[in-house]
Each structure stands twice: as structure tokens, then as C-alpha cells.
Amino acid sequence: MRPILFLAAAAALSLPVAASAQTNPPQTLRIGIADDADALDPTLSRTLVGRFVFASLCDKLVDIDAKLNIVPQLAQSYRWVDSKTLEFKLRPNVKFHDGTALDGDAVKFNMDRHLNMAGSTRKGEIGGLDHVEVIDPLTVRMVLKAPNSPFLAQLTDRAGMMVSPKAAVAAGANFGQHPVCAGPFKFTERVPQDRIVVDKFADYWDVGNVHLNRVVYQPIVDSTIRLSNLRAGSLDMAERIQPPDVATVKADPKLKIEIFDYLGYNGLTFNIANGSQPRTPMMKDARVRQAFALSIDRQAIVDVVYNGMYAPIAQPVPAFSPFYAPEVKPAGRDIAKAKALLAEAGVKTPLSVEIMLPTTADQRQIGEVVQSMAAEAGFDVKIKATEFVTLLKAQADGDYEISLIGWSGRADADGNIYNFIHSGAPLNDSKYANPAVDALLEQTRAETDVAARRALYGKIAVQSNLDLPIMYLYSQKNLIAMSTKVGGFSPIADGLIRVKGLTLGQ
Amino acid sequence: MRSNLGVRIAQILPTLVLVSIMVFCLQQLMPGDPALVLAGEERDPAVLAQIRTELWLDRPLAMQYFHWIGNVLQGDLGFSWRIREPVLNLVIAKLPVTAQLGLMAFVIAICIGVPMGIVSAVKKNSFWDYAANGIGLAGLSTPNFWLGIMLILVVSVQLGWLPPSGYVPLTEDWRQSLATTVMPAFVLGNALAAVLMRHTRSAMLTALEQDYVRTARAKGLLEIRVVLRHALRNALVPVVTLGALELGTLLSGAVLTEQVFSIPGFGKLIVDAVFNRDYPVVQGVVLVTATVYIGLNLLADIAYVFLNPRLRNA
């Protein structure tokens, strides 16, 4: 009897203490996201999954469309008054979830909050902003410190999200626990690691295009399990499906998949002058890096690892971007030239080099493909699979020779290049410094004409393919799987799921 | 016994202090920089510096430890760096989830392991014995995550019998709660069932050869009464110890199982925290887990006394 008492006591302990009665209404969309979001505060947020949730909670001043054009959202229109002044006409009758109105003062409050709040991760993004002028309740002007054409694109993401000043002041640093924005859905509940629930906002400015009553975001880290949940009917949509699983989705009559363009890239970052480790021939001599690059066939990597689904590139923006320079094409594989360059550099082969890469199966496979291709040119490639956070630290500290790492991408090309190759920039882990490239990069920021900027980016790509701080390998695709019941999905290259316009059939 | 118990309780405090120091130091040995994770993709140097100051990462390790442990002693486990919620709230929300899962796994393990052990011992060297041993070996050798994924694919995707995720607390909807936890509990209990089976078997084999069993049989008692009342009761003492110790193993098994079945419990909390270098959460969870583990061992000691009257006067 007594062991039973012991068990009964343990059973009593196991009764969950907190329960939030929750039955989902009809038209509830369940989305599987690849991780749990961080703080749901646009000023503090730093994760991609957080942006998925913001896509339903927080509208932005401007958004991007499928062709990466910047289109109005909370702003009705925008114009450059001069090269340093950006004017927004706000949409009238926009309300935050707490019923307060969006006006010029609210926009000023939000930009000041991004700039001044402790822990703000937006500060760097809008660092070019000098001040905001409220012209009238529906007109604001953002005055920049210097001409800065990429500034507008920053407002298509979290920097352009508007939160209720009243709620933000009341909640202080805890605002992220109960965000109040002006998006189509309002925050209802969050159970960390389990779900984030948002409900339709009846006073939304474009409520006619909101067809769902509730959206539930469920973090499921493993993509295979995320897909299994979708197949079992526990989810309606799942983001970031892995390329090998595309066939499974296509074979399932209850599912469909959207495969569409991606803003980022994956590439090999070469350590040129970062850290205190002894400088290897790869670090010292651009010819050695060029030889390495010539030994690699990008198309072969894409074919072997991703069934040809991705596109090889030799610049940091994908081919559909208005900033893509078509004249800069990936060089073909040329082993003879690679060997000649190594001989010219006076390098004794086989030359031992080390590639640091994340522990995921596909990245390891890329490492192995590179290893076998580079061997033919005289490189003895060692692969060092490293847990991602450790890899980031090693890369920042310069404790690596070559690092295989990607970038999620930004709508404006500046977000894919400036911080990575401008001397002294925070993401320049190569510690590459070329004054000519720096000058070109500065010119791209001052120039507002897209064609002129594209030409400048083309020049930068040509030079950076010679110096090789980064060898761009390929641009990925967004892969979002969903039930056939889901309709109205609009594929936008940032990969986010815009819930406005989505429908859920029976 | 009372003095023994007193000594055991007195040992708890220094053990916990050691645990707190170890967990604090261990994660400092972990490679990677939490500030780099927290600063986001852009890694703005000003943001990095601000984070280091705000989270005391720029102070000496000893200062960081005393700052943390001082707060812990006042009941404040700090706040999660990642989601900015108090660690105590997270722990309170997650502990019952994992406790429910662990308990269900334990019950499943007992329901499978103990009867199989008994049958295997009573029918020694028969087909039943070999079959039970074979199943036990398979149970021990099957990795949790593999079994979990297989169950999801077969039971949820192919057959559509049980949901692969969507945990809700028992108090909210007990049917949904049990439906979402029965597969993970089976996965978690599976290895423990095998261990319990093997130990029950060997303890029963020893017990069945004892004089008191022979005496019981000589008295003409029914065989089932001899086995369950006389042999099993004595055989259970080491099994209970093992069961209590294995409850700790269940907690660690929950780490993987909760990931596979998206159960928002302790295991998922700590895995996410480790990958994101969310130190306060890791520290808080390990400290609470250690306390629970030590508590369970103490309970096992007390349970001995109930099962074995001779220990009451020891």
C-alpha cells in the first residue's frame, strides 16, 4: 500500500499549477516556426522567428513587395524631400491595439525609442537618423545626418514597426511580454517554448483583408518534426522546410509547398587579418584564395547538396534583386589556373587549410564537396564542424582560417555587403580593408538612383572577387509548406508569413 | 533511522552549494559568447558593450557568482536573457509539465517492467523469460529520439491516432493532455521499463530461493500469493531505490523527448537555454533539478523504511 501512497503524492505534485483555458475559435491558423521567439518588442527583438510573429502583430511604416519595391503600409506615401530628408504621409484612422491613434507624435516616439532605449538592437540600423520632425498629425519628416539611401529599407523591418506610445511608457522594459502595435492581430497569450497566440484586431485599418480569427505560432526546432506535425494535421503551415523534404511534401496530397526567392546567401569567409594566430598562406596571399575559389564548382555544390534547387552567385545579392549586377557571373572551375596561381604564390602543395562550418548535415556535406574539389588543386582541406554559437565567437575573434556561414539577407543590398567588407565594420570578420572598396561603398550610400547603385555594386563585386574576403557560393530559396486548405499566400523574399490575406478552407 | 535521516538532510545544503558552483563554472567553460547571441545578427559594437555591462559579463567571475547566488538566496533566480521573463516563473510553469511526463513514464515503466520481471523470474529459462529479456534488451538499446520520431511517423502521420504535439495542462483538458503525453511518456518510460525488468527479475530470482518462500509454500499458500506477497515485497526494496535514482535519469531523458514531441517542459527549456547561452535559465533549471533529484533520493530512503520494517529500528 505504502508505495502507492508515495506514487499518489508524486501524482499530486504533477498537477499543472497554471492553466489558461483556451479553445481555439474557427478559422485558427497554426504555424510551426523554427525556434521560440525572443522578446516581442520591435526595439529589442533580434531573431528571425520574432519577425514571423511581428508579421501579424506589428505593421510597419513601409513594406516590401515581391519585387523588393518599397510599398506603403502604415504610411500612405513617402518621398525624399532632399537627399537627407524623408517625408511620410501617415494613413488616417489607424489605431493601435489599445485604441489609441497612430499619429506623427507616435512615429517620433517610436524612432526616439529605437535610438535611446537600453538594449535597443535597432540603434545601429537607424544610426543615420538625426531627428524626427512632426509637421502635422499625419506628416512626419525624418532628417538624416548624411545622405543615406539604404535608410528607407530599414523601415520595412522592425525599425519601421510602430508600437503604442501609451502602452510602451506604461510597460517600460517589460513591453515585450504584452506587445501593443497596429497590426492585423493583437497579442493574446504566450507560453514560452510552447505557443504564441494572436487574435484578429477588429479595428485594424485594413480589416477587410483579414480572414482568420486567430493565429497560433508553435516553435518546433527540428524541421523533420515540424514537417511531421504538418503532415499529421497538428499544424497548417511550417516555415523553413529542408530541401531533402520537398519531395515528401509534394508526395502528400494534403500538402503543398511554396518555393520562392531568398534575400540572403551562403559563402566562405576567409580570415585575412583577424586575430593573433600565425598568418597562413591563405590569409597572406590573395592568389592562394583565388586558387581555392577556382578549384570550387558552385553548381556542383548546389546539385549535390540541394538537388539543384539553389542558384550559384558571385555577389552578395540574389539574381532577382534590383541591385544584382548581371555582368558579375560565378567563374567556372579551372584547376590548371588554380595550380598555376599556387605555383606563382610559391606555395608548397598539398597546402593544409581548415574550414570551420556549422554542425547541420547540409553544411557538413558542402564542406565535404569543397574538400574533394579543392584537393585536386593541391589543398588538403580539414573540416571543423562547430556548434553555431561557438562558431560565431570563433569567427568574431579571428580564431579560424575559412568559415562557411550564411547571411539571412536584407531588402537593400547595403544590408548584405557594407557591414561585411567595409574596413572596421562590425561584421567584417575577415578584417578585410581596401580603401578603394570602402570609397565605393560610401558612394552607394550617398547615391539614390538604383541603376547607379547597381553599377557601383558591380564594381565592388569585381574587386571583392579578386581580394576574396568572402567567396559567395549560392543564394538559397524560402521553403514554406502548408496544408492545401491554406489559400492567399503571398511569397515575399524576406520569407515571412504575412497572415493578412490568408484564408483557411474546411 | 531518525539520526540517519538528520545526517542525510544536513548533507543536502553543502551538496547544493557545490552544485551551484559547478553549474556556474561549467557554463563559463562552454565556448561561445552570450553577448554575441543576444546582440542579434547585426552585432552592433555599442549594443554588445551595453549587454556586457547590463548582464555583469564584464565583471570577474567570482563577482558574477556571488551576485547570482545572493539573489537566489532571496528567491530570485534572475530573468531569462533571451525572452526577458523571470526564471522562477519559467521554472514554475515548466516543472509540472515535466513532472507529469516523468510520472506517466514512471507508471508506464513500472506497469511494463515489474510484471515482465516477475514473469521472467518465475518462468526462468522458458520462452517467456527469453522473450522478456529480448524485449528488455531492445528497450535499453533504442535511442529515445529515434523511437519518438518513429512513433510520430506511424501513430500520428500514418494512422492519425494521436497528435504529435499540442500539449495542454491536465487541468485545461485532461483528454488532450493525456493524448499528447502518452507517446512521449512511453518513449521515456521504455528504457526505464527495461532496467526495472532486469532488476526485478534478478531480485525475484534471489527472493524465490529464500527460506521464507519455501516456508510460505510449505504452508500451502497459493503460488500467486507466495510470489506477490512474500517474494515480490522483499525483492522490491532494491527496485524502489533504482526507480528513484532513475527518476533523475528520466529528467535527463526528457531533454530529448520533449524536443521531439514539442512538450514545453524542463527539457525543452534547458536545451533552448544552452543553445542560446541563456545562463540564468541554465543555472536556475540545473539548481532546481538537482534539488528535486536530491529530494527524490531522500524520499527513496524514507520509502525503504516503509517497505522494510527492519530498517525502522536501525
Side-chain angles (χ1 to χ4, degrees):
Chain A
M1 275 313 284
R2 276 150 188 158
I4 293 170
L5 279 179
F6 168 67
L7 288 176
L13 272 177
S14 85
L15 283 178
V17 285
S20 51
Q22 178 208 321
T23 314
N24 289 330
Q27 294 294 308
T28 293
L29 183 79
R30 298 154 305 167
I31 302 177
I33 49 178
D35 201 350
D36 197 13
D38 55 339
L40 291 176
D41 182 331
T43 303
L44 304 176
S45 160
R46 48 177 185 76
T47 58
L48 175 58
V49 281
R51 293 167 66 202
F52 272 85
V53 181
F54 285 131
S56 63
L57 278 176
C58 301
D59 271 9
K60 305 160 281 191
L61 287 175
V62 280
D63 198 6
I64 49 169
D65 68 8
K67 291 182 177 156
L68 296 187
N69 297 312
I70 294 178
V71 293
Q73 196 171 50
L74 289 175
Q76 210 163 28
S77 64
Y78 65 85
R79 69 181 179 103
W80 285 99
V81 178
D82 57 52
S83 64
K84 291 198 322 187
T85 311
L86 186 57
E87 182 180 275
F88 292 95
K89 288 276 182 205
L90 299 178
R91 202 175 284 284
N93 305 319
V94 173
K95 280 189 179 156
F96 290 110
H97 300 149
D98 60 0
T100 56
L102 171 81
D103 56 15
D105 288 332
V107 174
K108 180 172 166 52
F109 171 89
N110 272 278
M111 301 315 282
D112 289 346
R113 186 170 185 263
H114 287 330
L115 285 176
N116 303 323
M117 186 176 178
S120 166
T121 33
R122 303 287 82 77
K123 200 186 281 181
E125 291 172 15
I126 57 161
L129 177 67
D130 188 67
H131 65 278
V132 178
E133 291 170 4
V134 180
I135 307 295
D136 63 52
L138 293 179
T139 312
V140 285
R141 281 186 180 172
M142 297 191 187
V143 181
L144 309 181
K145 292 171 187 161
N148 187 334
S149 52
F151 179 82
L152 178 62
Q154 297 288 9
L155 303 180
T156 63
D157 193 5
R158 290 158 292 194
M161 288 175 190
M162 296 292 118
V163 307
S164 156
K166 187 180 156 199
V169 169
N174 296 325
F175 178 81
Q177 290 176 20
H178 198 292
V180 180
C181 294
F185 289 79
K186 60 182 194 301
F187 179 83
T188 300
E189 179 196 29
R190 174 175 196 176
V191 180
Q193 266 107 26
D194 184 35
R195 60 179 183 263
I196 294 170
V197 182
V198 298
D199 282 316
K200 184 175 180 174
F201 175 45
D203 289 333
Y204 180 58
W205 63 270
D206 190 16
V207 75
N209 277 321
V210 182
H211 311 298
L212 302 166
N213 289 321
R214 169 172 285 186
V215 181
V216 180
Y217 295 92
Q218 283 178 235
I220 302 178
V221 177
D222 188 290
S223 72
T224 311
I225 297 169
R226 211 155 54 238
L227 178 57
S228 299
N229 274 269
L230 182 68
R231 293 176 68 199
S234 292
L235 294 175
D236 303 304
M237 297 182 95
E239 59 120 344
R240 276 181 274 175
I241 294 299
Q242 294 303 303
D245 291 329
V246 170
T248 311
V249 179
K250 285 184 172 166
D252 192 325
K254 299 194 298 281
L255 302 182
K256 58 184 177 182
I257 190 156
E258 289 277 356
I259 302 174
F260 54 101
D261 290 322
Y262 183 81
L263 290 173
Y265 63 83
N266 205 12
L268 294 168
T269 297
F270 293 89
N271 185 351
I272 293 177
N274 192 2
S276 53
Q277 61 167 307
R279 296 183 70 205
T280 63
M282 187 70 91
M283 294 172 168
K284 282 192 283 196
D285 196 331
R287 287 171 299 184
V288 180
R289 295 194 291 276
Q290 287 166 12
F292 191 79
L294 280 170
S295 74
I296 295 170
D297 180 352
R298 294 171 172 90
Q299 188 64 51
I301 292 176
V302 167
D303 288 344
V304 170
V305 184
Y306 298 112
N307 299 322
M309 200 178 286
Y310 296 162
I313 49 166
Q315 53 189 308
V317 291
F320 71 94
S321 163
F323 302 105
Y324 180 82
E327 68 277 13
V328 182
K329 294 192 170 61
R333 188 168 187 243
D334 192 338
I335 295 295
K337 197 170 168 192
K339 283 182 172 169
L341 278 167
L342 284 178
E344 197 183 310
V347 169
K348 202 175 147 216
T349 55
L351 176 65
S352 182
V353 294
E354 187 180 77
I355 296 187
M356 177 173 72
L357 44 78
T359 49
T360 52
D362 60 333
Q363 301 299 295
R364 285 192 75 120
Q365 238 182 317
I366 292 175
E368 285 158 12
V369 175
V370 168
Q371 187 180 42
S372 70
M373 288 194 289
E376 287 181 44
F379 292 96
D380 175 20
V381 178
K382 306 258 187 318
I383 294 173
K384 187 179 176 189
T386 309
E387 185 260 343
F388 192 70
V389 175
T390 312
L391 178 144
L392 271 186
K393 166 95 170 134
Q395 203 180 290
D397 291 350
D399 188 15
Y400 74 102
E401 192 172 14
I402 307 174
S403 176
L404 175 63
I405 191 162
W407 175 243
S408 62
R410 299 291 179 265
D412 192 286
D414 185 82
N416 283 16
I417 184 159
Y418 188 96
N419 274 342
F420 295 86
I421 64 169
H422 193 287
S423 53
L427 299 172
N428 185 349
D429 290 332
S430 179
K431 291 284 178 273
Y432 169 64
N434 183 334
V437 170
D438 287 353
L440 286 168
L441 284 167
E442 295 302 343
Q443 278 184 51
T444 62
R445 285 194 162 182
E447 179 61 65
T448 49
D449 179 60
V450 171
R453 289 182 70 197
R454 180 169 53 233
L456 289 167
Y457 284 125
K459 284 185 191 169
I460 294 169
V462 169
Q463 186 58 45
S464 101
N465 282 336
L466 291 174
D467 298 338
L468 281 169
I470 299 172
M471 177 189 179
Y472 305 103
L473 290 176
Y474 58 83
S475 172
Q476 300 95 314
K477 295 273 181 195
N478 284 297
L479 302 174
I480 295 185
M482 62 195 86
S483 156
T484 48
K485 291 183 213 164
V486 178
F489 178 75
S490 47
I492 308 275
D494 58 15
L496 304 182
I497 296 173
R498 286 162 172 78
V499 284
K500 187 164 82 174
L502 283 184
T503 57
L504 191 59
Q506 292 310 308
Chain B
M1 178 62 206
R2 213 167 268 171
S3 63
N4 275 350
L5 251 184
V7 171
R8 294 278 289 113
I9 291 169
Q11 284 169 347
I12 289 178
L13 196 65
T15 313
L16 282 177
V17 171
L18 278 177
V19 166
S20 74
I21 295 173
M22 273 182 67
V23 64
F24 193 84
C25 295
L26 269 180
Q27 65 183 6
Q28 303 294 331
L29 289 177
M30 249 187 336
D33 177 358
L36 271 185
V37 185
L38 289 168
E41 272 193 321
E42 312 277 359
R43 280 197 256 148
D44 186 343
V47 173
L48 274 173
Q50 193 178 10
I51 290 171
R52 291 204 172 100
T53 309
E54 190 189 336
L55 303 178
W56 285 54
L57 292 169
D58 54 358
R59 321 252 174 128
L61 205 55
M63 263 178 88
Q64 291 183 40
Y65 173 76
F66 284 115
H67 176 241
W68 170 66
I69 202 74
N71 287 336
V72 170
L73 290 175
Q74 295 169 50
D76 177 11
L77 290 176
F79 70 97
S80 156
W81 290 349
R82 182 175 157 85
I83 55 173
R84 290 174 188 258
E85 281 216 28
V87 175
L88 193 62
N89 290 4
L90 290 173
V91 167
I92 289 172
K94 307 295 179 187
L95 194 56
V97 180
T98 301
Q100 180 192 341
L101 184 64
L103 188 80
M104 283 175 66
F106 196 59
V107 170
I108 288 174
I110 288 175
C111 290
I112 299 173
V114 173
M116 263 172 53
I118 297 171
V119 169
S120 169
V122 173
K123 307 271 182 198
K124 190 182 162 194
N125 292 336
S126 70
F127 164 77
W128 299 107
D129 187 17
Y130 296 135
N133 271 304
I135 294 170
L137 191 65
L140 265 183
S141 334
T142 314
N144 274 1
F145 64 91
W146 181 84
L147 184 62
I149 291 174
M150 285 301 121
L151 278 180
I152 288 181
L153 285 178
V154 175
V155 179
S156 302
V157 176
Q158 298 299 331
L159 301 172
W161 289 350
L162 288 169
S165 67
Y167 171 84
V168 291
L170 272 174
T171 44
E172 187 179 312
D173 179 347
W174 66 272
R175 281 194 191 88
Q176 169 79 358
S177 186
L178 291 180
T180 51
T181 42
V182 70
M183 276 199 293
F186 176 76
V187 169
L188 199 52
N190 164 60
L192 179 58
V195 174
L196 286 182
M197 190 282 280
R198 291 161 78 99
H199 277 81
T200 309
R201 180 179 183 274
S202 77
M204 279 296 286
L205 282 177
T206 314
L208 284 171
E209 284 167 8
Q210 299 298 312
D211 289 345
Y212 57 82
V213 171
R214 197 176 311 126
T215 309
R217 280 184 179 138
K219 283 197 295 187
L221 290 183
L222 284 175
E223 183 63 14
I224 189 159
R225 201 174 160 83
V226 173
V227 169
L228 295 183
R229 182 103 194 147
H230 292 258
L232 180 64
R233 186 153 184 181
N234 284 290
L236 270 186
V237 172
V239 176
V240 166
T241 321
L242 184 84
L245 286 175
E246 289 289 327
L247 264 177
T249 317
L250 280 186
L251 277 180
S252 57
V255 168
L256 274 179
T257 313
E258 287 180 3
Q259 284 288 336
V260 173
F261 291 93
S262 310
I263 304 272
F266 243 46
K268 200 159 161 29
L269 183 68
I270 196 163
V271 169
D272 291 354
V274 167
F275 279 123
N276 289 300
R277 304 296 191 271
D278 198 343
Y279 289 176
V281 176
V282 179
Q283 286 161 190
V285 170
V286 173
L287 201 61
V288 172
T289 311
T291 313
V292 170
Y293 193 70
I294 292 167
L296 284 172
N297 277 314
L298 190 68
L299 278 178
D301 287 350
I302 297 169
Y304 282 157
V305 182
F306 288 116
L307 287 172
N308 190 346
R310 281 172 300 180
L311 286 174
R312 283 175 208 172
N313 303 319

